[in-house]
Amino acid sequence: MEKMIKVHIEVLEEGGFLATSEDIQGLVAQGRTVQETLDIAKDVARHLLEAQGERQVTVPLKPIELSFDYPLIIGV
């Protein structure tokens, strides 16, 4: 079952992007592009949720709604 978390993306002065989330404590990911950063963040989120599940800690994640806004980033 898929769930949705909010991820905050920040442009780094030295180049690249940083992703953090208030929904999953400890989620921090850095990449060269937004897509790479999101891919890393997704992987980190999975690992964090698996580790929390092993410790029987539940994280209240929201189900995916029937519609939602998604920023589409296009390189031109």
Side-chain angles (χ1 to χ4, degrees):
M1 173 183 272
E2 292 183 320
K3 299 288 185 169
M4 182 182 296
I5 65 169
K6 291 183 183 176
V7 178
H8 176 77
I9 302 290
E10 188 176 324
V11 178
L12 299 173
E13 287 183 24
E14 62 274 8
F17 300 87
L18 180 71
T20 57
S21 177
E22 292 183 6
D23 294 339
I24 300 179
Q25 184 178 12
L27 191 153
V28 178
Q30 184 176 346
R32 293 179 300 252
T33 65
V34 172
Q35 186 60 54
E36 180 182 54
T37 305
L38 290 172
D39 290 343
I40 294 168
K42 186 182 280 190
D43 191 45
V44 170
R46 275 194 212 110
H47 287 291
L48 288 171
L49 291 172
E50 286 173 6
Q52 291 172 353
E54 290 171 2
R55 291 189 311 249
Q56 298 180 351
V57 176
T58 57
V59 177
L61 298 178
K62 298 175 186 174
I64 295 178
E65 298 178 17
L66 295 177
S67 70
F68 55 91
D69 294 328
Y70 180 83
L72 185 61
I73 299 166
I74 302 170
V76 291

